[in-house]
Amino acid sequence: MSLLENLNQDMKQAMRNKEKQKLSVIRMVKASLQNEAIKLGKDVLNEEEELTVLARELKQRKDSLQEFKEAGRDDLVDNLNAELDVLQVYMPEQLTSEELERIVLETIQSVNATSKKEMGKVMGALMPKVKGKADGTEVNKLVQKHLS
């Protein structure tokens, strides 16, 4: 089942259960997917493009969450945590730290990187492998750690 079909099904269920928060998040994600399809001039996005949109939505909320925590806005923090929980359901299973570290080391070896100067080369080869399965900031820190 495609992501859009899954979202439609969950949206109907959220309407039946009167889950306003979940319904709102699903509608926002659907709108983002449709906007991306329009931007790319397509009728339907492929799985990778859908994953990119989902990852962007997740990242936006995580960034906002951090800002709200720093500002002491607990009401908004709770709201965003609920939105993140809804979005996580549609993301692929996240890599464990061990799996991520193994992929990082393999990629560093495959591109023969030895210094931080080659960080861009490593990240360019690595990110498509872990797209949607790991946080980019975490990946970046691991690559820096192993290249220093």
Side-chain angles (χ1 to χ4, degrees):
M1 186 182 322
S2 79
L3 176 64
L4 205 52
E5 290 169 348
N6 202 351
L7 285 169
N8 283 330
Q9 195 172 28
D10 289 352
M11 186 171 79
K12 289 175 189 173
Q13 191 61 45
M15 283 181 197
R16 284 186 205 114
N17 297 342
K18 297 184 181 3
E19 298 172 282
K20 290 181 182 180
Q21 176 97 32
K22 185 174 184 179
L23 183 60
S24 172
V25 173
I26 291 172
R27 283 180 173 156
M28 281 190 273
V29 170
K30 281 186 63 177
S32 294
L33 289 168
Q34 288 173 330
N35 288 339
E36 187 73 10
I38 291 168
K39 188 172 106 180
L40 297 174
K42 296 182 173 184
D43 288 334
V44 180
L45 297 176
N46 64 34
E47 193 173 327
E48 186 177 324
E49 293 163 339
E50 289 176 341
L51 194 59
T52 301
V53 172
L54 264 180
R56 186 181 326 132
E57 290 290 318
L58 205 59
K59 183 175 180 351
Q60 284 175 350
R61 284 168 177 77
K62 283 182 180 177
D63 292 346
S64 297
L65 184 68
Q66 190 62 39
E67 289 175 25
F68 291 151
K69 280 182 181 176
E70 290 171 9
R73 294 292 310 267
D74 294 333
D75 55 327
L76 296 174
V77 169
D78 294 339
N79 192 22
L80 271 178
N81 278 326
E83 288 185 18
L84 285 169
D85 290 342
V86 172
L87 282 174
Q88 274 311 127
V89 171
Y90 302 104
M91 292 297 288
E93 190 172 320
Q94 298 294 295
L95 294 169
T96 64
S97 352
E98 295 81 27
E99 290 172 323
L100 184 58
E101 190 143 5
R102 182 182 47 79
I103 293 171
V104 166
L105 290 171
E106 286 172 2
T107 306
I108 288 173
Q109 287 176 345
S110 72
V111 297
N112 296 321
T114 54
S115 71
K116 283 193 177 184
K117 290 179 185 175
E118 298 168 297
M119 178 112 178
K121 186 165 62 168
V122 174
M123 291 299 284
L126 181 62
M127 286 313 286
K129 294 178 186 176
V130 299
K131 187 172 196 150
K133 297 177 186 172
D135 182 35
T137 326
E138 190 178 328
V139 173
N140 191 316
K141 287 177 186 173
L142 266 175
V143 171
Q144 284 183 6
K145 177 180 130 187
H146 288 292
L147 285 180
S148 57

PDB file of all heavy atoms in Angstrom, residues 111-124:
ATOM      1  N   VAL A 111      34.814   5.118  -0.037  1.00  0.00           N
ATOM      2  CA  VAL A 111      35.249   6.333  -0.749  1.00  0.00           C
ATOM      3  C   VAL A 111      36.692   6.702  -0.409  1.00  0.00           C
ATOM      4  O   VAL A 111      37.192   7.720  -0.872  1.00  0.00           O
ATOM      5  CB  VAL A 111      34.311   7.539  -0.479  1.00  0.00           C
ATOM      6  CG1 VAL A 111      32.919   7.268  -0.984  1.00  0.00           C
ATOM      7  CG2 VAL A 111      34.297   7.938   0.971  1.00  0.00           C
ATOM      8  N   ASN A 112      37.348   5.870   0.370  1.00  0.00           N
ATOM      9  CA  ASN A 112      38.744   6.074   0.765  1.00  0.00           C
ATOM     10  C   ASN A 112      38.979   7.434   1.408  1.00  0.00           C
ATOM     11  O   ASN A 112      39.951   8.126   1.095  1.00  0.00           O
ATOM     12  CB  ASN A 112      39.688   5.888  -0.429  1.00  0.00           C
ATOM     13  CG  ASN A 112      39.646   4.474  -0.952  1.00  0.00           C
ATOM     14  OD1 ASN A 112      39.565   3.517  -0.176  1.00  0.00           O
ATOM     15  ND2 ASN A 112      39.668   4.322  -2.270  1.00  0.00           N
ATOM     16  N   ALA A 113      38.107   7.835   2.294  1.00  0.00           N
ATOM     17  CA  ALA A 113      38.234   9.116   2.981  1.00  0.00           C
ATOM     18  C   ALA A 113      39.135   8.952   4.199  1.00  0.00           C
ATOM     19  O   ALA A 113      39.059   7.957   4.912  1.00  0.00           O
ATOM     20  CB  ALA A 113      36.873   9.623   3.408  1.00  0.00           C
ATOM     21  N   THR A 114      40.001   9.944   4.410  1.00  0.00           N
ATOM     22  CA  THR A 114      40.919   9.866   5.543  1.00  0.00           C
ATOM     23  C   THR A 114      40.893  11.113   6.419  1.00  0.00           C
ATOM     24  O   THR A 114      41.382  11.073   7.541  1.00  0.00           O
ATOM     25  CB  THR A 114      42.362   9.654   5.039  1.00  0.00           C
ATOM     26  OG1 THR A 114      42.672  10.684   4.099  1.00  0.00           O
ATOM     27  CG2 THR A 114      42.509   8.287   4.392  1.00  0.00           C
ATOM     28  N   SER A 115      40.354  12.215   5.896  1.00  0.00           N
ATOM     29  CA  SER A 115      40.354  13.446   6.689  1.00  0.00           C
ATOM     30  C   SER A 115      39.001  14.152   6.597  1.00  0.00           C
ATOM     31  O   SER A 115      38.170  13.810   5.766  1.00  0.00           O
ATOM     32  CB  SER A 115      41.451  14.384   6.186  1.00  0.00           C
ATOM     33  OG  SER A 115      41.091  14.900   4.918  1.00  0.00           O
ATOM     34  N   LYS A 116      38.841  15.159   7.450  1.00  0.00           N
ATOM     35  CA  LYS A 116      37.589  15.917   7.465  1.00  0.00           C
ATOM     36  C   LYS A 116      37.380  16.694   6.167  1.00  0.00           C
ATOM     37  O   LYS A 116      36.271  17.091   5.853  1.00  0.00           O
ATOM     38  CB  LYS A 116      37.553  16.879   8.654  1.00  0.00           C
ATOM     39  CG  LYS A 116      37.254  16.186   9.959  1.00  0.00           C
ATOM     40  CD  LYS A 116      36.924  17.173  11.036  1.00  0.00           C
ATOM     41  CE  LYS A 116      36.566  16.426  12.317  1.00  0.00           C
ATOM     42  NZ  LYS A 116      36.148  17.320  13.368  1.00  0.00           N
ATOM     43  N   LYS A 117      38.434  16.887   5.400  1.00  0.00           N
ATOM     44  CA  LYS A 117      38.318  17.590   4.125  1.00  0.00           C
ATOM     45  C   LYS A 117      37.431  16.808   3.152  1.00  0.00           C
ATOM     46  O   LYS A 117      36.844  17.379   2.247  1.00  0.00           O
ATOM     47  CB  LYS A 117      39.688  17.799   3.491  1.00  0.00           C
ATOM     48  CG  LYS A 117      40.553  18.789   4.220  1.00  0.00           C
ATOM     49  CD  LYS A 117      41.892  18.927   3.536  1.00  0.00           C
ATOM     50  CE  LYS A 117      42.803  19.838   4.338  1.00  0.00           C
ATOM     51  NZ  LYS A 117      44.149  19.898   3.766  1.00  0.00           N
ATOM     52  N   GLU A 118      37.360  15.507   3.356  1.00  0.00           N
ATOM     53  CA  GLU A 118      36.585  14.642   2.453  1.00  0.00           C
ATOM     54  C   GLU A 118      35.179  14.353   2.992  1.00  0.00           C
ATOM     55  O   GLU A 118      34.508  13.437   2.526  1.00  0.00           O
ATOM     56  CB  GLU A 118      37.344  13.331   2.234  1.00  0.00           C
ATOM     57  CG  GLU A 118      38.693  13.554   1.569  1.00  0.00           C
ATOM     58  CD  GLU A 118      39.572  12.333   1.602  1.00  0.00           C
ATOM     59  OE1 GLU A 118      39.926  11.899   2.710  1.00  0.00           O
ATOM     60  OE2 GLU A 118      39.871  11.824   0.514  1.00  0.00           O
ATOM     61  N   MET A 119      34.764  15.147   3.948  1.00  0.00           N
ATOM     62  CA  MET A 119      33.465  14.962   4.587  1.00  0.00           C
ATOM     63  C   MET A 119      32.318  15.029   3.566  1.00  0.00           C
ATOM     64  O   MET A 119      31.388  14.222   3.616  1.00  0.00           O
ATOM     65  CB  MET A 119      33.276  16.042   5.652  1.00  0.00           C
ATOM     66  CG  MET A 119      31.975  16.001   6.334  1.00  0.00           C
ATOM     67  SD  MET A 119      32.244  15.536   8.014  1.00  0.00           S
ATOM     68  CE  MET A 119      30.600  15.615   8.609  1.00  0.00           C
ATOM     69  N   GLY A 120      32.381  15.966   2.649  1.00  0.00           N
ATOM     70  CA  GLY A 120      31.331  16.120   1.637  1.00  0.00           C
ATOM     71  C   GLY A 120      31.196  14.887   0.766  1.00  0.00           C
ATOM     72  O   GLY A 120      30.085  14.464   0.427  1.00  0.00           O
ATOM     73  N   LYS A 121      32.335  14.307   0.397  1.00  0.00           N
ATOM     74  CA  LYS A 121      32.332  13.102  -0.427  1.00  0.00           C
ATOM     75  C   LYS A 121      31.664  11.954   0.322  1.00  0.00           C
ATOM     76  O   LYS A 121      30.844  11.220  -0.230  1.00  0.00           O
ATOM     77  CB  LYS A 121      33.785  12.749  -0.795  1.00  0.00           C
ATOM     78  CG  LYS A 121      33.920  11.620  -1.760  1.00  0.00           C
ATOM     79  CD  LYS A 121      35.309  11.528  -2.390  1.00  0.00           C
ATOM     80  CE  LYS A 121      36.404  11.284  -1.392  1.00  0.00           C
ATOM     81  NZ  LYS A 121      37.687  10.918  -2.025  1.00  0.00           N
ATOM     82  N   VAL A 122      31.990  11.810   1.608  1.00  0.00           N
ATOM     83  CA  VAL A 122      31.419  10.742   2.434  1.00  0.00           C
ATOM     84  C   VAL A 122      29.914  10.955   2.606  1.00  0.00           C
ATOM     85  O   VAL A 122      29.118  10.035   2.413  1.00  0.00           O
ATOM     86  CB  VAL A 122      32.109  10.676   3.818  1.00  0.00           C
ATOM     87  CG1 VAL A 122      31.418   9.664   4.716  1.00  0.00           C
ATOM     88  CG2 VAL A 122      33.576  10.324   3.669  1.00  0.00           C
ATOM     89  N   MET A 123      29.523  12.180   2.965  1.00  0.00           N
ATOM     90  CA  MET A 123      28.104  12.469   3.190  1.00  0.00           C
ATOM     91  C   MET A 123      27.291  12.281   1.907  1.00  0.00           C
ATOM     92  O   MET A 123      26.167  11.778   1.945  1.00  0.00           O
ATOM     93  CB  MET A 123      27.918  13.895   3.724  1.00  0.00           C
ATOM     94  CG  MET A 123      28.436  14.103   5.135  1.00  0.00           C
ATOM     95  SD  MET A 123      27.643  13.083   6.375  1.00  0.00           S
ATOM     96  CE  MET A 123      26.084  13.928   6.551  1.00  0.00           C
ATOM     97  N   GLY A 124      27.869  12.654   0.774  1.00  0.00           N
ATOM     98  CA  GLY A 124      27.188  12.490  -0.515  1.00  0.00           C
ATOM     99  C   GLY A 124      26.907  11.031  -0.825  1.00  0.00           C
ATOM    100  O   GLY A 124      25.861  10.680  -1.377  1.00  0.00           O
TER     101      GLY A 124
END
